[in-house]
């Protein structure tokens, strides 16, 4: 097992292979979370699925790689392991997004298992293969195994940090995976040449060409109709109606915001009209407000307030800088003293606001497939209460379906913090047979449901408003969400059709 110049791979090469293969497994795992989020949500279940698949792949690869290392020449196996892994990694965006958008999406989970499991197992087999080559004396078994194990762990740490703090910020998801895949195949070629010579490296060279071709195809086809892959979303902007002034911001395949470039008072979505109805009923017409918005999206409502309540000052916390860039480039957003946007997490943004500083807080950070749970808890609502004036109002868009367990828990949580809580929704939501968007309103002053109902009727919106005893039966025994226990992912139900 020696070449003309000594052991192949040598100590440094061995360390590099173990370090790099371990790092690559973690890069694939973390990027897979973002790749799946548009279809499964960035939820506890999605995290569990991806982490479980990755750990299973690592276990299978380590076990099988160790067994194989005792049967075949590990030097001959290294290049194929790396090369095949690279081709699969480069194909991952195409495989996963194609499966998700084909038919009923039933191919998504098998494609995900393939995309994570195959490279995870193959790359994890590299360490036992290299360990076998590095063990030249039984007297050094502990030293060699411990050293390579530590190097592999260090690689996993670097892969995690590099992905989370650098790659995701600098590159689209498809670009990360395609680049990593091509890099793995290139390393396979180098290893093949180093170990067996150019002729023996021909299969790895073929994989490099194939991987580059598949990677290029994935780059072109795997965008999923995105104008931009942001840190958190696959985002695009559509014109609606064609040739008109309306623009729809689509995030992860869902219509998130509608902006009329010529008329900021045009509110297309019913839930935004319902929020406007609550605000119209709560404050005198035309009165300027000090407003804070949890979540930005297309910033439809802040623009509406600026138009119908001149002098209003709105501050928006939007976590995704890519969405904000789309707002500026394609949705005509202009910021200034009256409309400020901070790129930040909403919970942290809440904590930075002075007490008793806002007339209105608007929550619109919940998506159709995932909910930032830390914005749903009693402690978060206590922060909302802290920043509101005594007669201030909190109004938020909720999305839930089925038994509406999450929506009912959110109302129960608000009742722990505010003296008065109401719900505005389609009639079917109150009988728990219909879901979708629901608008919750909370304040320490009494809610004028009659005014809310009249405002809804003025917009021809067939929604109802309920509070107090009329809401008790609907809330039932729903649990209060806290920072210590907020099983939002388990409570939330998604639309099935």
């Amino acid at each position: 097992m020696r070449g003309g110049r000594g052991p192949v791979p040598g100590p440094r090469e061995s360390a590099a292979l173990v370090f790099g293969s371990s790092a690559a497994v973690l890069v694939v795992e973390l990027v897979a979370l973002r790749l799946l989020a548009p279809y499964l949500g960035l939820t506890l279940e999605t995290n569990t699925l991806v982490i479980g698949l990755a750990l299973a792949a690592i276990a299978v690869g380590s076990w099988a790689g160790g067994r194989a290392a005792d049967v075949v020449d590990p030097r001959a196996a290294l290049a194929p392991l790396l090369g095949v892994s690279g081709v699969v990694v480069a194909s991952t965006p195409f495989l996963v997004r194609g499966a998700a958008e084909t038919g009923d999406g039933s191919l998504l989970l098998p494609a995900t298992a393939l995309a994570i499991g195959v490279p995870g197992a193959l790359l994890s087999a590299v360490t036992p293969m290299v360990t076998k080559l590095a063990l030249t004396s039984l007297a050094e078994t502990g030293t060699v195994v411990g050293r390579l194990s530590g190097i592999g762990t260090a690689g996993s740490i670097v892969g995690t940090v590099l992905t989370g703090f650098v790659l995701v910020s600098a590159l689209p998801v498809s670009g990360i995976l395609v680049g990593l895949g091509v890099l793995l195949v290139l390393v396979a070629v180098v290893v093949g040449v180093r170990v067996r010579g150019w002729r023996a490296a021909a299969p790895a060279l073929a994989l490099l060409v194939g991987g580059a071709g598949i990677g290029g195809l994935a780059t072109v086809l795997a965008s999923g109709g995105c104008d931009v892959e942001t840190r958190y979303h696959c985002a695009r902007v559509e014109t609606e109606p064609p040739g008109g002034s309306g623009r729809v911001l689509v995030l992860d395949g869902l219509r998130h915001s509608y902006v009329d470039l010529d008329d900021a008072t045009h509110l297309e979505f019913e839930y935004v009209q319902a929020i406007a109805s609550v605000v119209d009923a709560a404050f005198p017409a035309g009165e300027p407000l000090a407003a804070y918005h949890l979540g930005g999206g297309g910033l439809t409502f802040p623009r509406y307030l600026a138009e119908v309540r001149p002098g209003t000052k709105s501050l928006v916390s939007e976590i995704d800088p890519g969405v904000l860039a789309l707002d500026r480039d394609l949705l005509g957003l202009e910021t200034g003293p009256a409309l400020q946007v901070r790129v930040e997490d909403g919970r942290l943004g809440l904590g930075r606001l002075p007490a008793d500083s806002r007339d209105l807080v608007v929550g619109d950070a919940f998506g159709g497939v995932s909910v930032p749970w830390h914005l749903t808890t009693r402690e978060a609502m206590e922060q909302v209460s802290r920043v509101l004036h005594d007669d201030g109002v909190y109004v938020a868009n909720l999305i839930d379906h089925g038994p509406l367990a999450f929506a009912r828990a959110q109302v129960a949580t608000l009742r722990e913090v505010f003296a008065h809580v109401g719900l505005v929704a389609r009639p079917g939501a109150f009988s728990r047979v219909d879901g979708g968007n629901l608008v919750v309103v909370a304040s320490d002053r009494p809610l004028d449901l009659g005014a809310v109902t009249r405002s809804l009727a003025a917009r021809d919106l067939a929604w109802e408003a309920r509070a107090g005893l009329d809401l008790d039966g609907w809330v039932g025994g729903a649990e209060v969400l806290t920072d210590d226990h907020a099983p939002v992912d388990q409570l939330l139900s998604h639309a099935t059709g």
Side-chain angles (χ1 to χ4, degrees), residues 206-227:
L207 282 173
L208 177 61
V209 174
I214 292 174
L217 181 65
T219 301
V220 173
L221 299 179
S223 63
C226 304
D227 288 339

Side-chain angles (χ1 to χ4, degrees), residues 337-403:
L339 176 52
Q340 301 178 48
V341 183
R342 295 176 180 171
V343 178
E344 62 185 359
D345 179 271
R347 180 72 178 263
L348 299 180
L350 262 176
R352 295 187 183 105
L353 292 178
D356 193 31
S357 63
R358 302 287 155 174
D359 302 303
L360 173 69
V361 173
V362 181
D364 194 10
F366 299 166
V369 291
S370 63
V371 167
W373 68 269
H374 64 307
L375 297 179
T376 70
T377 65
R378 181 177 59 206
E379 291 83 354
M381 295 303 99
E382 287 170 349
Q383 286 292 320
V384 171
S385 177
R386 180 186 65 82
V387 305
L388 283 171
H389 297 315
D390 290 341
D391 60 349
V393 173
Y394 173 64
V395 58
N397 172 46
L398 308 179
I399 304 175
D400 201 3
H401 298 85

Side-chain angles (χ1 to χ4, degrees), residues 318-343:
E318 167 57 53
I319 197 170
D320 195 334
V323 168
L324 183 57
L326 275 180
D327 289 336
R328 290 192 170 117
D329 295 341
L330 301 178
L331 298 180
L333 174 65
E334 295 181 3
T335 56
L339 176 52
Q340 301 178 48
V341 183
R342 295 176 180 171
V343 178

Side-chain angles (χ1 to χ4, degrees), residues 110-124:
T112 300
L114 174 68
I116 297 175
V118 170
L122 295 179
L123 290 170
S124 296

Side-chain angles (χ1 to χ4, degrees), residues 55-258:
L55 289 175
I58 291 170
V60 170
S62 298
W63 177 81
R67 288 291 300 270
D70 291 336
V71 177
V72 302
D73 183 354
R75 295 177 301 171
L78 288 174
L81 289 174
L82 294 166
V84 174
S85 298
V87 171
V88 177
V89 170
S91 307
T92 294
F94 178 74
L95 289 172
V96 172
R97 287 178 176 152
E101 296 167 9
T102 300
D104 60 359
S106 60
L107 296 177
L108 177 58
L109 291 182
T112 300
L114 174 68
I116 297 175
V118 170
L122 295 179
L123 290 170
S124 296
V126 169
T127 296
M129 292 281 184
V130 171
T131 302
K132 174 76 172 183
L133 292 174
L135 282 172
T136 58
S137 169
L138 291 178
E140 299 177 348
T141 300
T143 299
V144 171
V145 172
R147 178 173 63 88
L148 292 177
S149 177
I151 289 172
T153 302
S156 298
I157 294 171
V158 170
T160 300
V161 173
L162 181 66
T163 303
F165 289 99
V166 179
L167 295 180
V168 170
S169 299
L171 298 170
V173 167
S174 53
I176 296 171
L177 291 172
V178 169
L180 176 61
V182 172
L183 178 61
L184 286 170
V185 178
L186 182 60
V187 172
V189 172
V190 173
V191 170
V193 171
R194 178 79 173 89
V195 173
R196 306 291 295 275
W198 282 103
R199 182 174 298 180
L205 285 169
L207 282 173
L208 177 61
V209 174
I214 292 174
L217 181 65
T219 301
V220 173
L221 299 179
S223 63
C226 304
D227 288 339
V228 174
E229 274 188 2
T230 72
R231 291 186 184 181
Y232 296 92
H233 302 287
C234 167
R236 69 178 185 271
V237 173
E238 299 176 347
T239 300
E240 185 180 303
S245 60
R247 300 290 186 271
V248 179
L249 175 64
V250 180
L251 301 179
D252 302 332
L254 299 176
R255 291 159 53 90
H256 189 277
S257 302
Y258 184 99

